[in-house]
Amino acid sequence: MEKVVFYLSLSILLLSIGSVSACEEWVAIEEESYNRTYADINDPNANQFRPLGFKKSSYTFEGAEPCVEVKSTDGNGRHIQLAVELRDSGTLQVKNNKNSVVIDINDSAAKCNTVPAAASSVQYTFYCLGAGCESGQKFFWYRFVVEKPEGGKYEENWCDTLSSDVPSSLISIPSIITPPPEVPDVEDSASGLQFAFKIVVLTVSTIIVIILL
């Protein structure tokens, strides 16, 4: 009996450890330290670059559902922004462990609201189920931004101050427009011709004077 209790307790402990470690902890980058160089989401090392503070992840239809835990979110009226950009067209759904709200994202979006239940940490799960979801592995960029208090208070319109830029906005498109050739100014050209004509006349006159002498 004691062995049964021991193994049961061990199983529960292992399950609890597994559930705790199932969510990756979000590590934020301050805006002034953002990498503003374009990074390809297909690059296996994309998460080393963290363009605009984003991270790369993927989900599988009716399969892998990545989970991310955002900590230090407590505070009445505190806001949190979730920005997402999908590599391919489709649908991504996001849910958290504090309420029943499900966010549907198509292509790219930034969702900003007060922290659910003013919780000290929130776990977000990325997935897609039901109509509009496509089979296979789907890659996406994501980023969380948590509001910092100003003077101990949280701003009601804080969400409006955030940038909506996503990693694809960092692509640099080379210019293919050739600038037109410079056209000389008509007045300058006329003045130059007049000056040259005067020089020729003066030179001819000088030669004639020398011959006559």
Side-chain angles (χ1 to χ4, degrees):
M1 182 66 181
E2 291 181 356
K3 289 184 178 181
V4 173
V5 173
F6 171 76
Y7 286 119
L8 181 60
S9 301
L10 181 60
S11 300
I12 295 174
L13 177 61
L14 292 174
L15 287 173
S16 64
I17 292 175
S19 63
V20 170
S21 61
C23 283
E24 175 187 356
E25 183 178 345
W26 171 250
V27 178
I29 295 178
E30 297 297 329
E31 184 176 0
E32 56 269 20
S33 300
Y34 281 174
N35 182 351
R36 301 185 184 278
T37 302
Y38 173 75
D40 190 339
I41 195 171
N42 297 312
D43 186 341
N45 299 316
N47 279 336
Q48 295 181 13
F49 301 103
R50 298 285 302 270
L52 298 176
F54 281 76
K55 286 197 71 175
K56 162 189 171 180
S57 189
S58 67
Y59 68 94
T60 305
F61 176 61
E62 295 185 347
E65 300 180 352
C67 176
V68 179
E69 182 176 14
V70 185
K71 295 184 177 182
S72 300
T73 57
D74 53 302
N76 187 30
R78 192 173 201 165
H79 296 84
I80 183 170
Q81 183 206 51
L82 167 61
V84 175
E85 181 181 35
L86 279 66
R87 183 190 66 177
D88 307 307
S89 298
T91 300
L92 172 66
Q93 295 170 311
V94 187
K95 62 184 178 181
N96 67 74
N97 64 335
K98 298 302 177 183
N99 57 35
S100 58
V101 175
V102 176
I103 302 173
D104 292 321
I105 297 175
N106 298 304
D107 299 328
S108 66
K111 304 295 183 179
C112 187
N113 293 288
T114 53
V115 175
S120 59
S121 67
V122 185
Q123 295 178 356
Y124 292 86
T125 302
F126 300 86
Y127 67 105
C128 191
L129 294 174
C133 299
E134 298 179 357
S135 61
Q137 186 180 26
K138 301 296 181 181
F139 288 91
F140 61 95
W141 292 108
Y142 72 95
R143 182 190 66 198
F144 292 96
V145 180
V146 180
E147 181 184 9
K148 294 182 178 179
E150 294 289 340
K153 297 181 180 180
Y154 299 105
E155 295 295 329
E156 182 179 353
N157 300 318
W158 178 80
C159 294
D160 299 331
T161 66
L162 302 180
S163 170
S164 59
D165 290 343
V166 291
S168 64
S169 65
L170 298 174
I171 297 178
S172 177
I173 302 177
S175 175
I176 59 174
I177 300 176
T178 304
E182 293 185 5
V183 179
D185 188 82
V186 177
E187 293 184 0
D188 291 344
S189 300
S191 300
L193 288 174
Q194 292 177 1
F195 178 76
F197 179 74
K198 290 180 180 180
I199 294 297
V200 172
V201 172
L202 180 60
T203 303
V204 172
S205 300
T206 302
I207 293 173
I208 294 174
V209 169
I210 293 175
I211 293 175
L212 291 176
L213 291 177

